[in-house]
Amino acid sequence: MMLIGKSLWGCHEAGDPDKWDSLFSSIKQEGYAGIETICVFDLNLDPQRFRACLDLHGLKLVIQIHTASDW
């Protein structure tokens, strides 16, 4: 089964924990099954609240992983 997620990249609301409930509700209503985010930015602002909003709206979480090199 393939699930479609929405990236929070560029979503200004993602950086404001007070807006997560509304944001996640909108994402779910748009038909997405989950969200993708960079944990050091959005998720780490308030991990317990982030998880609660995911659960409330029935969304999965994908953590965006970056790799970089100076080679």
Side-chain angles (χ1 to χ4, degrees):
M1 171 185 353
M2 182 168 73
L3 301 175
I4 305 296
K6 180 174 179 76
S7 177
L8 296 185
W9 182 261
C11 282
H12 298 289
E13 297 92 342
D16 183 349
D18 291 331
K19 296 184 179 178
W20 288 346
D21 184 52
S22 175
L23 174 62
F24 292 7
S25 176
S26 294
I27 290 170
K28 184 67 174 186
Q29 288 177 10
E30 291 170 7
Y32 292 99
I35 61 168
E36 177 233 15
T37 190
I38 303 170
C39 66
V40 295
F41 296 125
D42 308 323
L43 172 60
N44 282 341
L45 292 172
D46 188 340
Q48 292 172 333
R49 188 175 185 180
F50 197 92
R51 177 80 257 171
C53 283
L54 287 172
D55 291 344
L56 176 65
H57 298 289
L59 293 167
K60 305 287 185 194
L61 175 63
V62 174
I63 298 295
Q64 190 179 109
I65 300 171
H66 294 263
T67 57
S69 175
D70 291 342
W71 302 10

